[in-house]
Amino acid sequence: MANYLIKKKSKSGEIVYMKYRLDGYNFKPRNITKANFSLEKIVVVKPSLIDSILSEKVEKKLSKIVRLVMFIINQDDESSDPSDVMLALNEIAKLRSVILNRYQDYLSQSKEREYLRKLRILENELRIKNLSYDDLYTSYGGPSL
């Protein structure tokens, strides 16, 4: 079990000293509360709770990327901008690095593989769209990308 020591002021109840050693997922919550306290850091220790919290975070980011990719893919080649594709590819790379570097220890292996597979599919679709830009610009005699 985890060991901790908390010392408080007797009159105000303010924490003066706190020492603990917990291995878990640390995060700073948003302090949008009307209560008289604020949280600076939360440490979640239960693996199933960590997995569900991180899965929710990754799903939100993944859904934003999917909306962006679908918007880019559904645009006409003439009206769209190749920099949008690069922006989406950068977002995919950023989420992939967060999953592999920060969340790998906490996510279950099956969920990690699933998220990386989805990101790879989105990346492949964007690369196909990028190749169509290359074909469009070279066929018109425009600058090659």
Side-chain angles (χ1 to χ4, degrees), residues 34-132:
K34 295 181 181 177
N36 292 334
F37 62 90
S38 65
L39 298 174
E40 292 184 19
K41 183 169 91 168
I42 294 179
V43 179
V44 181
V45 181
K46 189 174 181 181
S48 61
L49 188 59
I50 294 171
D51 191 38
S52 64
I53 289 171
L54 292 180
S55 295
E56 186 177 325
K57 286 177 103 174
V58 171
E59 287 290 334
K60 281 183 184 179
K61 291 178 184 177
L62 190 62
S63 68
K64 287 180 184 179
I65 292 174
V66 167
R67 284 194 305 257
L68 177 64
V69 169
M70 292 306 295
F71 176 75
I72 291 170
I73 289 175
N74 291 332
Q75 281 184 333
D76 293 337
D77 286 338
E78 293 85 23
S79 65
S80 59
D81 189 16
S83 64
D84 294 339
V85 175
M86 297 310 293
L87 174 77
L89 285 172
N90 287 341
E91 289 297 319
I92 290 172
K94 180 180 173 184
L95 182 59
R96 178 183 292 122
S97 68
V98 166
I99 290 172
L100 289 175
N101 295 331
R102 291 181 53 199
Y103 297 164
Q104 189 173 27
D105 296 336
Y106 304 114
L107 281 175
S108 64
Q109 231 178 7
S110 61
K111 284 187 180 181
E112 179 186 346
R113 274 187 270 135
E114 177 187 344
Y115 295 141
L116 293 176
R117 184 181 57 82
K118 287 179 182 180
L119 289 173
R120 192 176 329 114
I121 291 169
L122 292 173
E123 184 178 19
N124 289 339
E125 291 296 322
L126 286 173
R127 293 201 187 279
I128 291 170
K129 183 73 170 182
N130 202 9
L131 288 175
S132 70

